[in-house]
Amino acid sequence: MDKKYLYISTIGCQMNVHDSEQMAALMEKEGYVGTKDVNQADLIILNTCSIREKAAQKVMSSLGRFRRLKEKKTNLIIGVSGCVAQQLGDRLLMKVPDLDLVLGTHNIHRLPEFIAEIEKTGTKIVETSLSEETPSLGIVTLPQIGQVTAFVTIMQGCNNFCAYCVVPYLRGREESRTQEDILNEIRNLAGIGVKEVTLLGQNVNSYARSTKGASGFVGLLNEIEKIEGIKRIRFTTSHPKDISESLIAGFAGLSKLCKHIHLPVQSGSDRILSLMNRKYTKFDYLAKVANLRKSCPDISITSDVIVGFPGETDGDFQETIDMMNEIRFDNLFSFKYSERQGTAALKMNSKVSEPVKMERLRILQALQEEHTLEKNKALEGRREEVLVEGFSKNCREDVMGRTSTNKIVNFAGHGNLIGEIVPVYIKEAYLHSLRGEML
Ligand code: 5AD
Ligand code: SF4
């Protein structure tokens, strides 16, 4: 088999990062070797995100760059996958005629077949059908030698239809993998030395909800807990309305479950939460946070907030700020509301102007920086258990790892610590990381 090179560019969330890993694994079997040099590529895949307009625009600018490479290398194949591919389908081919493949979110498993067809006949392919059951859910990736952490998809899709969100339209309805499939994949990962798994899904708390006889998300966590070699379990993302009492109790009872939860709140105003179709109130959310902290006092809580949702007044925004002051998140990802085709919010009145959105984002981010630093500083002088993932970005004399609460720690250490959980004394805290000393 001839050696060919695959370059994948990924925009978007961890789910997309993992989809890219899956595509690389599939194409490796066909003789494609991954490359970080786009000029070397025989096949370029742009794995896209459409959650906000900005991410979708990034796709067009990247494609402009890749198209020019085709002038020099006429047999170069360019494909677009992910949410923008799903959304635009053959319209994308009309916009960018040099494109060879438009691959929707449920069709990743067909990538090798499509590439073989394009190589043979030069035909252009668009496949964006959404099926109820998709084999792409179970594609197993090939971790690198020495890889410490790995993503494992447990479900995909979403049934919630939040008023601002395109995900239910582009990723389809919720679909869960079988527990056995997931456990087998994790056992294999443990067998080759992976120490930490992050379970992925748009709404992991509804894992196997509609599967008869299944023990749900907490049942799955209980089973993963038993797998030898796996030392830590993380998951993302959760919907506040679906966080169960048993999961909250799991933060106290499951020894491998990391003390971190990403729990997107979106707004602190009940009126806006209702318009967003989030199906919980600020009171419900605060109660979940209180219960989480009761079950696990050290838990770190991160969240997402959208500013400038249609109809958001200064008063609504102030309620979000008040809630942030009350909860004090460890970290917060905040976004300006972005209009998306097909969503319910598109038709809502009282749109918030761009300058107001920008100002609200600025205020909110400045406040969050204070809270993040305050939370990180509280760790100074403490001993933390750190799973070492690799060398530090800027210094090969240092290693980096994470606390159970998902804070990055850098400290002087040898490469043979990679994959070990070690005790580290936290000397200094910054906004994005901690500096420590191994004990
Ligand atoms: N505009 C702005 N932010 C959005 N998100 C989802 N859809 C939109 C949108 N239309 C944010 C939400 C979600 C995160 C992944 O992206 O906060 O939790
Ligand atoms: Fe989008 Fe809401 Fe589903 Fe999350 S829960 S993916 S925000 S529709």
Side-chain angles (χ1 to χ4, degrees):
M1 224 183 313
D2 279 352
K3 195 160 154 190
K4 285 180 264 176
Y5 290 96
L6 164 65
Y7 177 90
I8 305 188
S9 167
T10 309
I11 302 169
C13 62
Q14 286 163 317
M15 202 85 178
N16 255 17
V17 171
H18 190 48
D19 286 350
S20 292
E21 290 171 353
Q22 290 179 325
M23 289 191 278
L26 289 175
M27 294 314 293
E28 192 162 320
K29 288 192 199 131
E30 308 298 315
Y32 274 88
V33 180
T35 177
K36 288 195 165 84
D37 175 9
V38 71
N39 295 302
Q40 195 182 28
D42 300 291
L43 168 61
I44 297 177
I45 297 194
L46 180 59
N47 193 12
T48 62
C49 171
S50 178
I51 196 98
R52 286 169 292 275
E53 184 60 30
K54 221 165 145 189
Q57 280 165 356
K58 226 165 140 186
V59 173
M60 288 306 162
S61 60
S62 297
L63 275 178
R65 214 160 27 94
F66 297 151
R67 284 172 69 179
R68 284 195 287 281
L69 296 173
K70 240 183 166 171
E71 290 163 14
K72 283 183 264 163
K73 201 175 198 173
T74 46
N75 57 352
L76 172 67
I77 299 175
I78 304 179
V80 176
S81 61
C83 288
V84 172
Q86 186 63 41
Q87 188 177 30
L88 296 181
D90 41 20
R91 276 179 290 156
L92 194 56
L93 211 55
M94 280 185 248
K95 275 189 182 188
V96 190
D98 299 335
L99 216 56
D100 299 285
L101 173 66
V102 179
L103 187 70
T105 53
H106 279 199
N107 295 284
I108 287 177
H109 59 290
R110 300 189 63 188
L111 179 66
E113 169 199 341
F114 291 149
I115 295 301
E117 174 84 21
I118 294 166
E119 283 174 341
K120 209 160 96 195
T121 64
T123 178
K124 292 180 185 297
I125 298 176
V126 178
E127 180 53 271
T128 56
S129 56
L130 284 180
S131 45
E132 257 175 44
E133 273 182 36
T134 153
S136 58
L137 246 188
I139 301 168
V140 170
T141 53
L142 310 165
Q144 310 290 315
I145 309 273
Q147 190 177 320
V148 176
T149 66
F151 291 133
V152 176
T153 305
I154 64 165
M155 58 86 67
Q156 71 163 9
C158 180
N159 296 350
N160 288 319
F161 292 92
C162 298
Y164 49 82
C165 186
V166 282
V167 166
Y169 306 97
L170 302 181
R171 293 264 174 183
R173 292 297 73 70
E174 286 175 3
E175 184 190 347
S176 296
R177 282 175 77 190
T178 66
Q179 185 164 293
E180 224 19 65
D181 247 19
I182 297 167
L183 295 177
N184 280 338
E185 180 174 355
I186 298 177
R187 284 186 200 111
N188 284 338
L189 290 170
I192 51 175
V194 167
K195 301 290 190 301
E196 176 186 292
V197 285
T198 301
L199 310 178
L200 295 180
Q202 260 86 30
N203 188 10
V204 290
N205 306 109
S206 45
Y207 169 73
R209 181 177 282 164
S210 51
T211 314
K212 266 203 191 126
S215 54
F217 184 55
V218 177
L220 177 68
L221 291 177
N222 275 307
E223 291 305 313
I224 300 172
E225 174 96 358
K226 294 179 201 154
I227 298 178
E228 218 177 295
I230 295 297
K231 302 217 168 106
R232 284 182 169 184
I233 310 167
R234 299 185 186 277
F235 61 84
T236 194
T237 278
S238 302
H239 194 302
K241 76 175 166 53
D242 295 319
I243 292 280
S244 63
E245 290 301 317
S246 58
L247 177 61
I248 293 176
F251 280 105
L254 292 163
S255 65
K256 295 181 181 176
L257 187 60
C258 286
K259 296 176 180 178
H260 169 229
I261 188 161
H262 185 64
L263 198 58
V265 64
Q266 312 300 358
S267 169
S269 151
D270 283 344
R271 207 176 61 80
I272 296 298
L273 286 172
S274 165
L275 285 172
M276 285 176 165
N277 192 29
R278 290 291 286 175
K279 301 191 181 91
Y280 56 84
T281 61
K282 177 171 125 185
F283 181 83
D284 299 332
Y285 188 89
L286 289 173
K288 300 261 169 162
V289 167
N291 286 341
L292 282 161
R293 286 182 169 156
K294 205 160 122 201
S295 168
C296 179
D298 289 340
I299 196 165
S300 95
I301 303 178
T302 57
S303 196
D304 295 341
V305 163
I306 297 175
V307 297
F309 185 79
E312 187 188 65
T313 61
D314 285 345
D316 293 315
F317 177 64
Q318 188 56 44
E319 287 195 61
T320 301
I321 294 289
D322 292 346
M323 184 194 58
M324 284 171 63
N325 279 323
E326 192 171 340
I327 293 176
R328 301 183 112 74
F329 292 112
D330 286 76
N331 209 348
L332 185 75
F333 301 90
S334 45
F335 313 99
K336 287 185 285 177
Y337 166 71
S338 167
E339 266 189 350
R340 307 312 290 135
Q341 284 303 318
T343 59
L346 195 66
K347 296 182 215 93
M348 290 182 185
N349 297 323
S350 311
K351 296 272 151 62
V352 177
S353 73
E354 188 60 25
V356 171
K357 281 194 232 176
M358 275 168 68
E359 181 59 3
R360 287 182 187 164
L361 193 69
R362 191 191 62 73
I363 294 170
L364 188 149
Q365 290 182 341
L367 179 65
Q368 184 55 45
E369 284 199 1
E370 282 176 29
H371 291 171
T372 304
L373 198 58
E374 170 192 295
K375 289 273 175 184
N376 289 353
K377 286 272 176 208
L379 298 178
E380 282 181 353
R382 277 181 46 160
R383 171 198 155 116
E384 289 286 326
E385 302 291 313
V386 175
L387 172 59
V388 183
E389 290 179 19
F391 290 102
S392 295
K393 243 196 262 159
N394 301 325
C395 173
R396 294 285 288 187
E397 313 280 285
D398 287 351
V399 288
M400 72 70 67
R402 279 169 212 269
T403 63
S404 171
T405 50
N406 208 30
K407 317 255 179 199
I408 292 175
V409 186
N410 292 294
F411 61 97
H414 195 265
N416 61 11
L417 294 175
I418 294 171
E420 300 292 320
I421 294 183
V422 294
V424 176
Y425 174 79
I426 305 301
K427 284 197 329 197
E428 204 161 355
Y430 314 103
L431 194 54
H432 302 293
S433 65
L434 309 170
R435 177 93 212 152
E437 202 171 78
M438 197 170 127
L439 290 168

